[in-house]
Amino acid sequence: MPEKDYEDIPGTFVFDADRSREGYHLNQFCISLRLQKNRDEFNADEEKYLDKYPMTAEQRDAVLKRDWNRLLALGGNIYYTSKLAANDGINFQNLAGLMTGMGVEKYREMMLHGGRPIDGNRYKTEWGDED
Amino acid sequence: MARITAGVGCSHVPAIGVAMDTKITDQPYWKPVFDGFEFSRKWMKENKPDVIFLVYNDHCTAFDASCIPTFALGAAAEFQPADEGWGPRPVPVVKNHQKLASHIAQSLILDEFDMTIMNEMEVDHGLTVPLSVMFGEVSPEDEWPCLVIPLAVNVVQYPAPTGNRCYQLGKAVRRAIESYPVDLNVMVFGTGGMSHQLQYKRAGLINREWDQRFLDLLTEDPVFASQIPHVEYLREAGSEGVEMVMWHVMRGALDDEVKEVHRHYHVPASNTAVGHIILENVAA
């Protein structure tokens, strides 16, 4: 396999075919929450609802714990995981506050001041040990 | 004959739709976003299109992971605004120019663009937010002021189609529209962007200089712009910034030389840099 030229971007999961394959059942679960009847069923009994989706034990655990970053690491895509967040009353901006570890207020402040700058955020080497 | 008179580039941030739907556009946070569309709403009234060919992406709403078409052309009679997880937007149903859409589908495929044809499809904020910002508030009981042909492009699963492919598709869309034997004023919208990243630890990335350069190139050197590789969008404009490939479809459908009549850029709307441009075909 050729090397992926987008794997050196820090703090980013590029949702490619490999991730899509790994995350398939997780993402299909998430998108099911688009509909109210499914949200009602999930919220009544999360474990039972999740039984319908043959995701890995790790993915299932990350759903139950709402571990937003691990969901991405395990093949979830933000447009899917945001449906789970929406079910919990969390919008895109507040979800970003959680994923970045900044918290909602600090993240919102950063956006009001022009967002996260590109300088220092292009390559993993610029982030040191953190990915 | 049908003719393409102008192109519009426009972000489609969902929160912009929410701001309009909840009537908070006058709040200090939102006012600068909407001020930049005042000119555009007047311009739309003066240049009233019969049809908008609207290039957008579905955000895992109409399409789940089971089927991921690269280019999906809406051929249904109408498209209902979808429930994306927080209820459908209170906007009118989107009506198609079905005859022109099926003509375009046939023309594109014979022109070697292998389209997916959608005879049933719901549309999400990616399509309705650009209509809302350009037309202003339209209540669900009323009608949008013109017909809309949706083209949904996959930008969720990497790789999206290349900028060049999108640009070439725009040219084929133009050939299709100009071979339709009815006098129609058609506008092409390219939507999405600008720089933004919604996910993981780099969320919130904004690259104002890169966005401005993209807008400059789109107007002045569209062929060069169409050659920007995916990794540059991902790195410089954020993982979701790759949506901007859709603007090349719009640009490809226009003349090589265009007149830029309006530009608007503002940070932030939620997680995103809002960009907007209006380009007119000078000869039209």
Side-chain angles (χ1 to χ4, degrees), chain B residues 9-83:
Chain B
C10 178
S11 300
H12 59 218
V13 186
I16 293 178
V18 174
M20 288 183 70
D21 300 341
T22 56
K23 307 196 185 323
I24 55 168
T25 56
D26 280 339
Q27 288 186 359
Y29 182 93
W30 288 109
K31 199 170 179 307
V33 173
F34 289 98
D35 281 352
F37 290 97
E38 261 181 40
F39 171 91
S40 316
R41 290 178 187 182
K42 263 184 265 159
W43 180 88
M44 285 300 281
K45 279 189 183 134
E46 285 159 14
N47 296 277
K48 192 182 172 319
D50 299 302
V51 182
I52 295 171
F53 186 89
L54 201 153
V55 187
Y56 76 109
N57 68 286
D58 179 84
H59 303 76
C60 308
T61 305
F63 301 101
D64 65 19
S66 68
C67 178
I68 304 168
T70 294
F71 294 118
L73 186 76
E78 56 181 44
F79 309 94
Q80 291 290 342
D83 183 351

Side-chain angles (χ1 to χ4, degrees), chain B residues 263-283:
Chain B
R263 186 190 289 201
H264 170 43
Y265 186 82
H266 175 77
V267 178
S270 186
N271 303 290
T272 306
V274 175
H276 170 43
I277 198 165
I278 300 179
L279 304 173
E280 288 180 354
N281 270 346
V282 180

Side-chain angles (χ1 to χ4, degrees), chain A residues 87-105:
Chain A
N87 175 71
D88 292 5
I90 302 169
N91 66 22
F92 272 109
Q93 184 161 64
N94 293 346
L95 184 56
L98 296 173
M99 288 183 293
T100 55
M102 297 174 73
V104 169
E105 278 314 307

